[in-house]
Amino acid sequence: MRLTIVNQFYVPDLAPTGHLAASLAEHRASRGDEVTVVAGCGAYVGGGHASGDELGGPRVIRVWTPGLGKRTALSRILDYSVFFLLAAWRLATLPRQDVIVAMTTPPYILWAALIHKLFHRRTRIVLWNMDCYPEAAERSGVIRAGGIVSRVLAGLNRFAFPRLDAIVCLDEAMASLLRSRYERPGRGLAIWVIPNWERAADFPRMAAGGNLTAEDAAIVDGRFVVLYTGNRGRGHRFDAVVEAADCLRDEPVRFLFVGGGSQTGFIEQAVASRRLENISLLSYVTADRLRGLMGAAHCGLITLRDEMLGVMSPSKLHGNLAMGLPVLYLGPKNSNVDHAIRKCGCGVSLRHDDGAGLAASIRMMMREPERMRALSRRAREAFESMFCDRRTLPQFDVLLEQPDIQETIVPAERRKAA
């Protein structure tokens, strides 16, 4: 099979979508596919460029991008636009591909795949939907819901989605949103639910975390560490976290944020105004340093704004579970995180008005070591049974190897394989 994967970011860049793309690309190459990856050279957070060919079978085509990163909306749009144009050109000039998997960085890059299909009608197009657009922009206040921009972008989806051979959603909430908004009478969308994952080989069972730097050891300092990793942007809320930190200011607890995003200013302001010495913020760090911090943490923190249910699916869940970190979740019911906690008993699921409940849950974990060990064991079991590559990649194999994906009626039990 000739398979192409399109995503702006790819290893060795730190973007989670780039690592997922690499996992799928290398897996399919190992099965004998002729795999091509079309990616950019700009780094996820800007200020540098990813470079170098990756080990393994995939051929990686990198197109130039400005590498401006996520500093402003304008810099992000410029990076997206340049990548879209150059990726579309490279896809148009590729020989016929059997399948093109288009991710959603940047949004609407699936149209570059559809351009390839104009020249090669038998090519099958799969959308690997990491985030829903324009819904994400609407619900975060970037564009007005029902406005002209929103209507145009939704119209692009209504035109494109029926022409796709499959859409991979990350959870059932996302699948339900797309069905409710874009399915046409008499013609459903070929939706598959396959969660994101981490590679099991990167998280051997009971493996110790990496070594802490002197700076990180001083931050941890023997405290109970509640760790939040990755993006802290418009899709997330932290007011209950701040309330919990205030409640626990006199207890040996450290709230540690590693990453970046638009909500960083809110957290910094709260730290300053409330004089919260138990909150520390770091920018994005190397994989080795992050492994050390995760090894020193006691639980993982995940938040999701209520209005983002179905629009995005927090991928930090999988790394926390892989490290055996119980999950403290603040967000709506029926998300992928809430579902994992309720099904596997690997953490605590709370709503955004329950900062006191978050503080109480942290105290429980600190004071009940037997219960904490059980939560940690179930976290790792959830990873192995639901969110590692050994479970998810075979689901992609079934999808990609369908002789005619679009005409296949996807059984409900397969759609819910997550």
Side-chain angles (χ1 to χ4, degrees), residues 87-244:
W89 169 253
R90 293 309 302 261
L91 285 170
T93 57
L94 282 177
R96 186 185 75 82
Q97 300 298 292
D98 295 300
V99 180
I100 297 179
V101 176
M103 301 175 76
T104 49
T105 308
Y108 297 95
I109 194 62
L110 70 93
W111 281 89
L114 290 171
I115 290 172
H116 179 92
K117 193 176 178 72
L118 284 176
F119 300 101
H120 307 285
R121 302 297 299 172
R122 294 176 58 193
T123 298
R124 293 173 285 151
I125 308 298
V126 175
L127 171 63
W128 192 357
N129 197 64
M130 296 291 169
D131 301 291
C132 296
Y133 291 94
E135 291 79 13
E138 291 173 349
R139 298 183 187 188
S140 60
V142 175
I143 62 175
R144 184 170 65 86
I148 186 169
V149 174
S150 173
R151 293 199 303 271
V152 168
L153 295 177
L156 291 173
N157 288 342
R158 291 191 184 95
F159 182 85
F161 283 4
R163 290 162 173 79
L164 301 177
D165 295 272
I167 301 173
V168 175
C169 290
L170 306 184
D171 56 31
E172 281 292 341
M174 183 178 286
S176 297
L177 185 150
L178 294 187
R179 290 191 190 103
S180 66
R181 190 160 189 185
Y182 298 112
E183 278 193 335
R184 296 179 178 180
R187 186 177 183 183
L189 301 177
I191 290 178
W192 295 61
V193 175
I194 304 176
N196 283 344
W197 65 86
E198 295 284 353
R199 301 184 204 227
D202 292 343
F203 295 89
R205 191 173 180 87
M206 304 304 292
N211 295 324
L212 288 175
T213 66
E215 176 188 354
D216 296 339
I219 293 172
V220 172
D221 192 26
R223 295 171 179 263
F224 185 93
V225 177
V226 181
L227 179 66
Y228 184 98
T229 62
N231 185 39
R232 39 185 187 258
R234 295 177 182 271
H236 309 278
R237 276 181 61 179
F238 298 99
D239 43 331
V241 180
V242 169
E243 181 183 344

Side-chain angles (χ1 to χ4, degrees), residues 224-226 296-300 323-328 345-348 361-380:
F224 185 93
V225 177
V226 181
H298 296 84
C299 61
M323 290 293 291
L325 294 178
V327 173
L328 292 170
C346 55
V348 181
S361 298
I362 293 170
R363 289 193 182 103
M364 175 273 291
M365 290 182 177
M366 293 172 61
R367 297 171 183 175
E368 300 183 33
E370 287 296 327
R371 190 171 176 185
M372 183 65 176
R373 280 191 286 271
L375 287 170
S376 179
R377 183 186 69 253
R378 291 196 289 267
R380 177 66 192 199

Side-chain angles (χ1 to χ4, degrees), residues 152-362:
V152 168
L153 295 177
L156 291 173
N157 288 342
R158 291 191 184 95
F159 182 85
F161 283 4
R163 290 162 173 79
L164 301 177
D165 295 272
I167 301 173
V168 175
C169 290
L170 306 184
D171 56 31
E172 281 292 341
M174 183 178 286
S176 297
L177 185 150
L178 294 187
R179 290 191 190 103
S180 66
R181 190 160 189 185
Y182 298 112
E183 278 193 335
R184 296 179 178 180
R187 186 177 183 183
L189 301 177
I191 290 178
W192 295 61
V193 175
I194 304 176
N196 283 344
W197 65 86
E198 295 284 353
R199 301 184 204 227
D202 292 343
F203 295 89
R205 191 173 180 87
M206 304 304 292
N211 295 324
L212 288 175
T213 66
E215 176 188 354
D216 296 339
I219 293 172
V220 172
D221 192 26
R223 295 171 179 263
F224 185 93
V225 177
V226 181
L227 179 66
Y228 184 98
T229 62
N231 185 39
R232 39 185 187 258
R234 295 177 182 271
H236 309 278
R237 276 181 61 179
F238 298 99
D239 43 331
V241 180
V242 169
E243 181 183 344
D246 206 347
C247 291
L248 297 167
R249 64 168 59 242
D250 296 322
E251 301 188 41
V253 176
R254 172 73 65 193
F255 290 84
L256 177 57
F257 293 83
V258 181
S262 61
Q263 296 302 304
T264 299
F266 168 83
I267 300 171
E268 289 175 336
Q269 185 178 21
V271 168
S273 63
R274 299 193 186 209
R275 299 180 181 178
L276 297 174
E277 298 181 357
N278 57 356
I279 293 181
S280 297
L281 292 94
L282 300 176
S283 187
Y284 289 96
V285 300
T286 64
D288 286 344
R289 187 178 176 190
L290 179 60
R291 179 64 64 88
L293 290 168
M294 294 184 78
H298 296 84
C299 61
L301 175 66
I302 301 175
T303 75
L304 182 70
R305 298 184 71 93
D306 291 348
E307 57 269 29
M308 291 297 176
L309 178 65
V311 173
M312 57 192 299
S313 180
S315 60
K316 56 181 64 67
L317 169 68
H318 319 119
N320 286 326
L321 296 180
M323 290 293 291
L325 294 178
V327 173
L328 292 170
Y329 168 66
L330 288 162
K333 294 180 180 180
N334 299 317
S335 70
N336 66 319
V337 185
D338 177 66
H339 175 255
I341 290 172
R342 288 187 289 109
K343 181 176 181 179
C344 303
C346 55
V348 181
S349 180
L350 302 166
R351 310 289 80 81
H352 284 294
D353 60 354
D354 199 4
L358 177 61
S361 298
I362 293 170

Side-chain angles (χ1 to χ4, degrees), residues 5-10 13 15 17-18 38-44 50 62-63 65-69 75-84 87 103-107 109:
I5 300 172
V6 190
N7 190 58
Q8 186 170 346
F9 304 111
Y10 195 71
D13 192 79
T17 58
V38 178
C41 61
Y44 179 66
R62 293 195 182 273
V63 302
T65 53
L68 300 175
S75 65
R76 187 180 304 187
I77 290 170
L78 287 173
D79 270 355
Y80 283 175
S81 300
V82 172
F83 176 74
F84 180 93
M103 301 175 76
T104 49
T105 308
I109 194 62

